[in-house]
Amino acid sequence: MKKIILPLLALVLFCACGKNVLIDDTHSFNNAKWLRFEPESFSVEAPNTDDCFNFIVTLQIDTAAFHEAGLPLMIEVNSPVGDTRTLFSTLLLRNHENHWMGDINSQGILEVSQVVRQFYFFNSVGTHSINISQRTSKYEIHGINSIKFKVEKTKIVYPE
């Protein structure tokens, strides 16, 4: 029994130390409706201030109800020491030929995933609260089924 437990414990500790994804969480919207003043909140544990990360947003959109070419987002990062950083991004949903970007299933649900912030450095270690809001001019937008937020470790590659 000891022969099985020790290698398994070593594997678990090794995987925990080299964690490349800090969060990969999906939130669904009631009635496929995203209200402007009700952001989606995520909690991220920043292990250090030396590594940089990409913020990736994936939306599932009902193409029969939502027709826009892009969805503007506001990402508010609140650190455990009280600092707040606000980032703005637009999730592109259609290309220049007006075709949907991403994959559409047989029910007409589009799944589009994009990096909305590249090379982000957390300013302190600990639990950060991240709020993502839609920043259209409409109080509510229909056809947004879910949002997935992923924070993934990356490296900056400098030219030689």
Side-chain angles (χ1 to χ4, degrees):
M1 185 71 169
K2 222 178 198 183
K3 290 180 181 180
I4 295 172
I5 292 177
L6 287 176
L8 186 59
L9 181 61
L11 180 65
V12 169
L13 289 174
F14 177 74
C15 291
C17 292
K19 192 173 182 182
N20 288 329
V21 176
L22 300 183
I23 186 173
D24 189 355
D25 195 10
T26 303
H27 294 184
S28 297
F29 293 101
N30 291 333
N31 302 318
K33 180 172 47 176
W34 194 357
L35 302 177
R36 180 176 179 146
F37 302 109
E38 292 185 17
E40 290 302 305
S41 297
F42 299 89
S43 186
V44 176
E45 188 69 32
N48 60 57
T49 58
D50 299 326
D51 293 329
C52 65
F53 297 89
N54 287 341
F55 289 0
I56 303 160
V57 171
T58 303
L59 292 178
Q60 285 193 342
I61 299 170
D62 184 353
T63 56
F66 191 82
H67 307 288
E68 304 298 322
L71 180 62
L73 300 174
M74 181 175 73
I75 302 165
E76 186 180 86
V77 182
N78 300 299
S79 76
V81 296
D83 296 338
T84 299
R85 289 199 254 171
T86 304
L87 315 168
F88 297 96
S89 182
T90 298
L91 195 68
L92 299 177
L93 305 174
R94 293 180 182 264
N95 62 17
H96 295 296
E97 289 82 34
N98 208 29
H99 295 109
W100 290 109
M101 299 173 69
D103 299 320
I104 299 179
N105 67 18
S106 60
Q107 289 85 28
I109 304 299
L110 170 72
E111 183 169 292
V112 63
S113 181
Q114 289 175 15
V115 175
V116 293
R117 179 63 178 209
Q118 196 172 27
F119 308 127
Y120 184 86
F121 287 88
F122 288 99
N123 59 353
S124 61
V125 175
T127 304
H128 290 68
S129 171
I130 299 179
N131 300 315
I132 303 176
S133 305
Q134 60 98 344
R135 57 180 187 96
T136 66
S137 60
K138 301 173 183 165
Y139 172 69
E140 58 187 43
I141 51 176
H142 297 273
I144 310 295
N145 293 341
S146 67
I147 183 171
K148 178 179 176 181
F149 182 60
K150 184 176 182 179
V151 177
E152 187 173 58
K153 186 175 174 180
T154 190
K155 284 189 175 240
I156 298 175
V157 179
Y158 296 103
E160 293 181 21

